[in-house]
């Protein structure tokens, strides 16, 4: 039968405690500043006037991917831009990373997603696409993205993604001009078949620095609406806030049974998450422009382990109210927002409306397995079951192992088999991503 004990899953090579806990599980990779649109909020100031000059070459991208994979054999790469579909080697880079063990998804404005391009992405092993829809009103969306007809082009692409069964996420940047559309946008995303609806909160960097910020009261109100939508759509579509870790505070208060608390962590930038720029600089996240190092001058592992920026984000003391907040382990504030507002990435996140009491006790994670945490199996797994589990990105693998084994124990099953994984897939609600059931299926 090929049954064998399963080693610790989700664990990457490490050197000591700090390295063990800081693993590059998710890498956002801006492949280019070139774009066919010129969005008002673009953190990288991409647009039609940009050129390919200075971009990492195909060979350099493959080298960097390999260096990341040396630290973590199953990361997730988010290939974006600018507009990544303008890079002719996009599928070459993606295919190489997939063949080495990475999960690869693409972030795009959607306007260039023809049927032929979708087939090409799927053939390269890309398992998901994120598209941006700022409003269901063409006048607002097209003006925001400076592209006449862009809303029609993007929504048509969403229909094509659905027909070709390539999973997709809908992303929206919330502003005062579209905040009243939040519920309608989430409903449209769900009706269109999105696996997740991500509501981004603007960070004032790049061209986004020119835009007005939501007040802390508006921020809190929208987070509350997102929690309601998160609960409403759970099991059908994941609803999340991005660049707003205070979302976790409200989830903890108002939806304590939500599976999203499995991924409890303060802002993961520089700890589990990082960004590669088009010219090879490594930063903690796309919205925090401080450079940790240059991948043309040093290996990824050297920067990841030795950068002063990453050391501060992993071990430094949070400033202001974030430092005394009881939710600092679940939330910790957005480090990019703190930097954009104050020039100090360890400062408090002034956009948050919550005012902690003095010496507020730390609220611990409510789950036994958290984001990126390794978990050793307690039951034997067949070789085929292990192979399927190996497809799952490292940052959720420990959570999946626990869920599968808990299910097996409830069913009185003593060995994890491929058939059991298929059974779990049929019963599993939407968690961090519908991709989890995909990795467990037989195809």
């Amino acid at each position: 039968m090929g049954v064998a004990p399963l080693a610790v899953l989700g664990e990457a090579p490490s050197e000591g405690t700090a390295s063990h806990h800081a693993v590059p599980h998710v890498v956002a990779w801006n492949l280019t500043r070139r774009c066919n649109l010129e969005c008002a909020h673009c953190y990288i100031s991409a647009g039609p006037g940009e050129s390919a000059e200075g971009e990492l070459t195909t060979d350099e991208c493959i080298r960097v991917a390999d260096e990341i994979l040396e630290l973590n054999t199953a990361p997730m790469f988010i290939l974006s831009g600018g507009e990544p579909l303008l890079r002719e080697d996009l599928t070459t880079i993606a295919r190489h990373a997939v063949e080495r063990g990475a999960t690869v998804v693409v972030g795009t404005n959607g306007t260039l997603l023809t049927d032929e391009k979708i087939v090409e992405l799927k053939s390269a092993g890309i398992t998901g696409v994120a598209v941006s829809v700022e409003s269901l009103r063409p006048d607002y969306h097209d003006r925001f993205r400076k592209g006449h007809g862009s809303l029609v082009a993007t929504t048509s692409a969403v229909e094509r993604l659905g027909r070709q069964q390539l999973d997709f996420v809908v992303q929206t940047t919330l502003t005062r001009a579209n905040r009243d559309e939040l519920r309608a946008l989430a409903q449209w995303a769900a009706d269109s078949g999105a696996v997740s609806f991500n509501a981004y909160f603007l960070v004032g960097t790049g061209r986004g620095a020119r835009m007005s910020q939501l007040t802390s009261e508006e921020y809190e109100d929208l987070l509350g609406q997102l929690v309601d939508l998160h609960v409403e759509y759970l099991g059908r579509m994941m609803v999340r806030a991005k660049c707003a870790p205070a979302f976790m505070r409200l989830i903890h208060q108002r939806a304590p049974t939500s599976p999203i608390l499995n991924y409890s962590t303060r802002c993961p930038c520089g700890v589990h998450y990082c960004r590669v720029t088009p010219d090879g600089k490594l930063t903690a996240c796309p919205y925090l422009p401080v450079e940790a190092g240059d991948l043309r001058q040093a290996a990824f592992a050297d920067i990841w382990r030795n950068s002063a920026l990453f050391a501060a984000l992993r071990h430094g003391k949070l400033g202001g109210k974030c430092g005394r907040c009881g939710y600092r382990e679940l939330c910790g504030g957005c480090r990019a927002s703190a930097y954009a507002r104050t020039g100090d990435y360890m400062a408090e996140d002034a956009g948050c409306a919550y005012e902690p009491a003095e010496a507020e006790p730390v609220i611990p994670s409510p789950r036994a397995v958290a984001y990126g945490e390794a978990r050793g199996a307690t039951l034997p797994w067949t070789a085929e079951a292990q192979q399927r589990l190996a497809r799952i990105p490292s940052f959720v693998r420990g959570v999946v192992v626990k869920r599968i084994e808990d299910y097996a124990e409830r069913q009185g099953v003593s060995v994890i088999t491929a058939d059991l994984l298929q059974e779990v897939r049929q019963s599993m609600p939407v968690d961090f991503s519908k991709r989890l059931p995909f990795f467990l299926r037989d195809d």
Side-chain angles (χ1 to χ4, degrees):
M1 188 176 180
V3 179
L6 187 65
V8 173
L9 289 176
E11 184 173 19
S14 61
E15 294 180 0
T17 303
S19 295
H20 173 75
H21 290 293
V23 176
H25 289 294
V26 181
V27 179
W29 197 328
N30 296 124
L31 289 172
T32 182
R33 283 189 173 84
R34 290 173 284 155
C35 191
N36 58 320
L37 301 179
E38 196 173 2
C39 304
H41 68 318
C42 183
Y43 61 83
I44 203 170
S45 299
E50 298 294 325
S51 72
E53 184 178 356
E55 292 177 358
L56 294 177
T57 65
T58 306
D59 288 345
E60 286 178 314
C61 288
I62 287 173
R63 172 184 59 78
V64 170
D66 286 345
E67 290 178 357
I68 296 167
L69 284 154
E70 288 176 4
L71 287 185
N72 181 4
T73 58
M76 175 177 280
F77 289 162
I78 305 170
L79 304 183
S80 65
E83 176 47 63
L85 298 182
L86 292 177
R87 277 200 66 142
E88 295 180 358
D89 59 357
L90 172 63
T91 53
T92 300
I93 297 165
R95 182 176 289 107
H96 177 84
V98 169
E99 289 175 350
R100 287 289 311 279
T103 297
V104 178
V105 297
V106 168
T108 171
N109 61 45
T111 60
L112 305 179
L113 274 174
T114 62
D115 281 314
E116 294 74 18
K117 183 58 69 174
I118 294 170
V119 169
E120 185 181 338
L121 296 179
K122 290 177 68 175
S123 68
I126 290 166
T127 53
V129 173
V131 298
S132 297
V133 177
E134 310 302 346
S135 171
L136 299 176
R137 294 173 284 133
D139 59 334
Y140 178 79
H141 177 94
D142 292 3
R143 184 173 66 253
F144 189 91
R145 293 194 160 260
K146 292 195 169 125
H148 179 70
S150 61
L151 178 61
V152 171
T154 299
T155 54
S156 297
V158 165
E159 294 173 3
R160 287 190 285 273
L161 288 165
R163 285 197 301 270
Q164 296 209 38
Q165 297 184 316
L166 181 58
D167 281 354
F168 64 91
V169 171
V170 172
Q171 307 194 137
T172 297
T173 298
L174 294 174
T175 67
R176 289 198 178 99
N178 69 355
R179 61 181 177 170
D180 292 338
E181 288 189 78
L182 177 56
R183 174 164 287 276
L185 282 161
Q187 181 68 60
W188 176 82
D191 291 345
S192 298
V195 300
S196 183
F197 175 73
N198 294 338
Y200 277 79
F201 285 75
L202 182 70
V203 176
T205 187
R207 280 197 293 270
R210 307 172 191 168
M211 299 181 65
S212 61
Q213 299 279 339
L214 295 167
T215 66
S216 57
E217 292 76 17
E218 291 167 335
Y219 176 89
E220 188 80 358
D221 175 67
L222 287 168
L223 284 179
Q225 293 183 49
L226 283 166
V227 172
D228 292 340
L229 291 167
H230 171 81
V231 173
E232 180 179 338
Y233 286 102
L234 197 61
R236 179 184 178 190
M237 176 184 76
M238 182 58 73
V239 175
R240 292 175 296 174
K242 305 292 281 187
C243 302
F247 180 65
M248 297 297 288
R249 165 174 55 83
L250 292 181
I251 287 286
H252 183 270
Q253 293 171 346
R254 295 167 49 178
T257 61
S258 168
I260 205 169
L261 287 171
N262 286 328
Y263 307 95
S264 58
T265 175
R266 78 186 212 187
C267 179
C269 300
V271 183
H272 303 303
Y273 179 67
C274 61
R275 183 270 297 256
V276 179
T277 69
D279 57 352
K281 304 300 191 298
L282 191 62
T283 75
C285 90
Y287 303 94
L288 181 57
V290 180
E291 295 175 7
D294 187 342
L295 291 165
R296 281 177 162 151
Q297 302 296 324
F300 182 92
D302 290 342
I303 301 172
W304 181 258
R305 291 170 174 155
N306 302 316
S307 162
L309 168 66
F310 290 162
L313 291 169
R314 294 166 192 170
H315 309 297
K317 180 175 173 54
L318 298 173
K321 64 182 181 180
C322 286
R324 65 178 186 272
C325 180
Y327 291 96
R328 58 186 175 272
E329 295 301 320
L330 289 173
C331 167
C334 175
R335 299 299 94 218
S337 179
Y339 182 80
R341 291 171 183 267
T342 70
D344 178 1
Y345 47 78
M346 299 304 292
E348 68 177 43
D349 182 353
C352 177
Y354 182 71
E355 291 294 339
E358 292 295 331
E360 200 168 75
V362 175
I363 295 170
S365 168
R367 299 288 190 269
V369 180
Y371 182 109
E373 184 178 333
R375 175 177 170 85
T378 59
L379 297 174
W381 290 56
T382 66
E384 186 179 1
Q386 292 190 42
Q387 287 172 359
R388 292 193 191 178
L389 194 63
R391 305 178 193 175
I392 295 176
S394 61
F395 70 103
V396 290
R397 202 178 293 169
V399 172
V400 174
V401 170
K402 182 178 188 303
R403 176 163 291 175
I404 290 168
E405 294 200 341
D406 286 350
Y407 178 88
E409 290 175 1
R410 289 195 301 270
Q411 302 301 314
V413 176
S414 59
V415 176
I416 308 299
T417 66
D419 288 342
L420 182 71
L421 296 187
Q422 184 73 6
E423 186 178 329
V424 172
R425 175 178 175 260
Q426 299 300 326
S427 65
M428 185 184 290
V430 176
D431 201 278
F432 192 88
S433 166
K434 276 187 181 175
R435 296 311 311 167
L436 300 187
F438 169 84
F439 289 113
L440 303 181
R441 74 188 185 209
D442 185 14
D443 57 7

